[in-house]
Amino acid sequence: MASTAAPVQEVATPAPSAVKQKIVFVLGGPGSGKGTQCLKLVDEFPDVAHFSAGDLLREHVKSGTEDGNMVADMIAKGLIVPAEITIGLLQSAVAQSGKGCILIDGFPRNTDNRDTFLKMFGYDCSLVLYFDCPESVLEERLLSRNQGRVDDNIEVIKKRFKVFLESSLPVIQSYEAVSKVAKIDTNRPIDDIYKEVRRLIVEL
């Protein structure tokens, strides 16, 4: 069901597919290794697709539309973008992927994201991977990766982590209540993390 909200008029939002893909939400603080682990899964498993809510939004920024410019301003300030925009982009990407298992990292960032996802997709995730890592380690990783992103400075990093704690942790806790969360310690070697992540996906 497509949203009728004005901000998503330029975002394609196809109706939910009759065949429901397995959706895995990948959550964790900024720099916790979500993207790295997702890419490793995609490399190994042909039927797995990976989408980053943040990457889709950054691509949308490049569109030059009024909607894209609004997203650019919010990202620069470390704020959360309206759910309809994010989920409209995700819905289009998932529908076009043709894959059976979809990893969505950095999403849902708050309860509004989660609720709007359910309304637009018509079904919930199969699993939530929660990448847990100390804030000091996350700051060090983000400051050293030097990818030229506007949201990788110390002030915005701290704001992003604060937003994660205030907005995303309640979402994780709601899924813990229904036994859908796998908490993973990501303050360790990448290959050690992947062994655990891989097992969870294989068993899904």
Side-chain angles (χ1 to χ4, degrees):
M1 179 175 65
S3 173
T4 57
V8 295
Q9 290 178 351
E10 298 178 48
V11 179
T13 53
S17 170
V19 178
K20 296 180 180 179
Q21 295 132 308
K22 291 182 179 179
I23 302 291
V24 178
F25 293 150
V26 186
L27 288 169
S32 59
K34 301 182 296 293
T36 297
Q37 294 297 320
C38 287
L39 290 176
K40 287 176 75 66
L41 288 169
V42 170
D43 285 343
E44 181 173 0
F45 300 103
D47 198 37
V48 173
H50 163 235
F51 299 108
S52 162
D55 287 348
L56 288 174
L57 287 169
R58 280 183 281 275
E59 290 174 10
H60 191 46
V61 166
K62 297 178 183 177
S63 67
T65 62
E66 180 180 354
D67 194 39
N69 291 336
M70 179 194 71
V71 171
D73 184 59
M74 296 190 76
I75 289 176
K77 295 176 180 176
L79 302 176
I80 290 179
V81 174
E84 291 82 3
I85 295 176
T86 304
I87 295 155
L89 295 169
L90 283 170
Q91 194 175 16
S92 295
V94 169
Q96 294 168 18
S97 72
K99 305 293 185 179
C101 180
I102 308 295
L103 309 171
I104 305 179
D105 84 60
F107 182 91
R109 295 187 68 185
N110 55 26
T111 54
D112 185 38
N113 277 185
R114 179 199 61 200
D115 295 344
T116 306
F117 177 93
L118 287 171
K119 292 176 184 176
M120 294 178 70
F121 273 75
Y123 61 100
D124 205 353
C125 68
S126 300
L127 176 69
V128 176
L129 296 177
Y130 171 31
F131 286 8
D132 187 37
C133 193
E135 181 178 4
S136 60
V137 175
L138 299 180
E139 289 180 9
E140 182 179 352
R141 288 178 181 176
L142 290 172
L143 291 172
S144 64
R145 72 184 184 181
N146 192 25
Q147 294 179 349
R149 279 173 45 175
V150 67
D151 55 349
D152 278 352
N153 64 70
I154 190 64
E155 293 82 7
V156 176
I157 287 170
K158 287 183 177 295
K159 181 181 289 186
R160 288 171 65 198
F161 191 76
K162 183 173 184 288
V163 167
F164 169 74
L165 292 178
E166 294 177 348
S167 300
S168 297
L169 274 185
V171 174
I172 293 169
Q173 291 166 351
S174 73
Y175 280 114
E176 285 178 333
V178 292
S179 303
K180 283 192 174 184
V181 176
K183 185 175 180 179
I184 300 167
D185 174 14
T186 58
N187 187 21
R188 52 181 171 148
I190 291 174
D191 289 342
D192 291 349
I193 300 168
Y194 185 65
K195 289 178 183 178
E196 185 174 353
V197 171
R198 182 188 188 280
R199 175 183 58 79
L200 289 164
I201 295 301
V202 169
E203 294 175 354
L204 190 61

